[in-house]
Amino acid sequence: MLKLPTLTANSPTIAEVDLAAFKENIRTFKQVAADSMLMAVIKTNAYGHGTVPIGLAAVEAGADRLGVTTVEEGALLRENGITVPVHILSSVLPEQAADIVTYDLTASVSSRKLANDINNEAKKQHKTVPVNLKIDTGLHRFGIEPKKAIQFCESCYHLTSLNWEGIYTHFPNSDEGDWELTEEQFALFLDTVSNLNDHGYNFPIRHVGASTIAIERKDMHLDMIRPGAALFGYEPASRQRDLISLRPVMTLKSRLLSVRELPPNTPVGYGGSYVTSSHEKIAIVPIGHGDGYKYALSNKGEMLVNGKRARIVGTISLDQTVINVTGIPDVRAGDEVIVMGSQGGDEISAKDIAEWMESNVDEVLSSLMERIRRVYV
Ligand SMILES: *Cc1c(COP(=O)(O)O)cnc(C)c1O
């Protein structure tokens, strides 16, 4: 049995999660799509915010359903008292059928083998299990090709322990604002659904809309929207800034471990990729790429100390980052440093960090490791 130490003080680096802001974002989306159901997509440890507390908050704020990508996340929600439908938005292995049925999860089905295995398992457990048919309209990850949908339903729709409750697709280029392609794919999806309906294959819940569609395309909301990243405060595209008002949910903060002065021409950190040009004051922040604060931020990112921006200097190590606090008055070891969030009227957002590391908000947030303590406020 693993023994956990008893410590007198908590580690300095924490991710503060503002549950009130999260709930407000949920309510904002409920207003945006008042005529559709809301599935809160909280995959990947709720984009780094913590699956269980965020799942509970989402349901409290009125989310009708939750979406995750792994069976493990779905089971975790169930073990912690979540009773609303939980969708698995990824494909799964047929071997996972038993867990899906045991935990009453709603699988995305696009293979006969999986349909049959879930059906057999459901029979065994004396249950009828809801499933969603995934149609591939162009993302080309998984899903049934539209022209094979009828054939698929001929072989699986009749399985008696399955309830084909929903049908959905996911768009590859809506965040980029490629409406021509997205509209084409939307039309293909609707065509496929109506063709299936004509053959007697009905799916009460049709859904296609992640954050971008939820924000920009009311005409594509259908029966349910599926926002994810936006629930955590970040609209996927800057063109959406004036269309919706969202509050960032996470503040990432730490405290300076030490502050020291270095003379000119002093290399800092592994490889000496930064060399001081004058007398400079540097400080150590206990966060590194081992925490998911990525190496790509080396010599690029910034943090806030005493309300002022301090640049990252040198390469980021596993557990530590060096920042340049030259010119920031009264900086002392122990001072709070904001890695992501607001301080003194300035703000460093997950979007800024994403730009510095040439990535996206999803990666910035979901990379943050479990060892960064989440504090829910
Ligand atoms: C991740 C995901 C979403 C949410 O996407 P956002 O762009 O973060 O809103 C919705 N649907 C599916 C199928 C997903 O995989």
Side-chain angles (χ1 to χ4, degrees):
M1 191 58 195
L2 187 70
K3 284 197 173 178
L4 294 174
T6 309
L7 303 173
T8 58
N10 289 311
S11 53
T13 303
I14 62 167
E16 224 173 65
V17 177
D18 184 346
L19 289 176
F22 176 74
K23 287 182 179 175
E24 202 177 304
N25 295 339
I26 290 270
R27 287 190 284 265
T28 299
F29 274 99
K30 278 187 73 81
Q31 280 169 8
V32 160
D35 300 328
S36 306
M37 285 197 291
L38 170 64
M39 178 201 294
V41 177
I42 59 165
K43 60 191 176 193
T44 329
N45 195 26
Y47 294 71
H49 296 65
T51 302
V52 172
I54 289 292
L56 291 167
V59 173
E60 266 177 48
D64 301 291
R65 293 169 175 240
L66 300 176
V68 293
T69 31
T70 67
V71 173
E72 288 77 5
E73 288 176 323
L76 181 66
L77 289 167
R78 287 282 181 255
E79 289 286 1
N80 286 277
I82 298 267
T83 56
V84 300
V86 174
H87 290 236
I88 308 297
L89 295 171
S90 166
S91 192
V92 299
L93 291 172
E95 290 89 324
Q96 294 174 290
D99 291 334
I100 284 173
V101 176
T102 302
Y103 284 105
D104 300 307
L105 304 174
T106 305
S108 302
V109 174
S110 59
S111 90
R112 288 177 176 76
K113 172 100 175 90
L114 182 62
N116 277 299
D117 286 4
I118 295 177
N119 184 60
N120 290 338
E121 187 61 37
K123 262 197 197 123
K124 215 187 284 175
Q125 296 192 30
H126 310 289
K127 285 180 176 174
T128 303
V129 175
V131 289
N132 276 221
L133 180 61
K134 172 79 189 285
I135 303 290
D136 181 9
T137 54
L139 182 58
H140 298 143
R141 288 197 304 209
F142 77 109
I144 294 284
E145 282 177 56
K147 61 176 187 292
K148 293 187 179 155
I150 299 284
Q151 204 187 348
F152 180 83
C153 285
E154 278 166 5
S155 65
C156 295
Y157 193 85
H158 64 278
L159 295 170
T160 51
S161 296
L162 299 185
N163 166 23
W164 293 94
E165 168 200 68
I167 187 165
Y168 78 103
T169 192
H170 194 41
F171 299 136
N173 290 45
S174 54
D175 290 354
E176 290 73 15
D178 185 344
W179 294 125
E180 202 179 318
L181 182 66
T182 304
E183 281 162 14
E184 220 170 82
Q185 292 172 343
F186 183 60
L188 177 60
F189 175 74
L190 291 184
D191 255 14
T192 308
V193 173
S194 95
N195 196 12
L196 287 167
N197 293 162
D198 291 345
H199 285 74
Y201 304 124
N202 295 306
F203 302 85
I205 307 171
R206 304 157 303 154
H207 49 109
V208 302
S211 295
T212 282
I213 298 292
I215 294 168
E216 292 189 73
R217 297 296 298 252
K218 218 174 180 38
D219 58 324
M220 297 186 187
H221 285 179
L222 300 179
D223 304 304
M224 180 159 73
I225 55 167
R226 307 188 305 256
L231 298 176
F232 300 93
Y234 296 96
E235 64 287 334
S238 49
R239 66 177 186 275
Q240 297 157 356
R241 209 170 296 150
D242 298 330
L243 298 177
I244 194 161
S245 164
L246 298 167
R247 287 174 58 191
V249 175
M250 186 190 288
T251 298
L252 187 56
K253 45 170 87 163
S254 188
R255 294 176 66 197
L256 300 179
L257 288 188
S258 70
V259 180
R260 67 191 286 209
E261 307 238 1
L262 295 175
N265 295 315
T266 310
V268 178
Y270 291 126
S273 65
Y274 179 82
V275 180
T276 57
S277 53
S278 57
H279 281 278
E280 292 180 18
K281 200 162 55 170
I282 57 144
I284 307 294
V285 184
I287 188 170
H289 56 83
D291 296 288
Y293 191 71
K294 300 285 178 125
Y295 188 86
L297 294 161
S298 297
N299 287 307
K300 288 212 180 106
E302 295 171 355
M303 297 184 188
L304 294 172
V305 179
N306 291 350
K308 300 268 185 313
R309 283 184 180 239
R311 285 202 70 149
I312 292 170
V313 289
T315 52
I316 290 177
S317 348
L318 269 168
D319 304 287
Q320 295 174 61
T321 296
V322 183
I323 55 173
N324 194 336
V325 292
T326 309
I328 304 178
D330 302 325
V331 181
R332 288 186 187 83
D335 282 358
E336 181 178 88
V337 47
I338 298 293
V339 179
M340 185 177 82
S342 309
Q343 190 190 58
D346 200 355
E347 185 188 1
I348 289 174
S349 73
K351 214 155 231 174
D352 297 326
I353 296 175
E355 270 163 32
W356 290 326
M357 60 190 241
E358 293 175 46
S359 175
N360 59 29
V361 164
D362 290 12
E363 188 187 359
V364 171
L365 296 175
S366 64
S367 293
L368 299 171
M369 305 293 277
E370 296 272 4
R371 73 173 188 174
I372 298 180
R373 194 161 46 95
R374 268 62 172 178
V375 177
Y376 295 89
V377 294

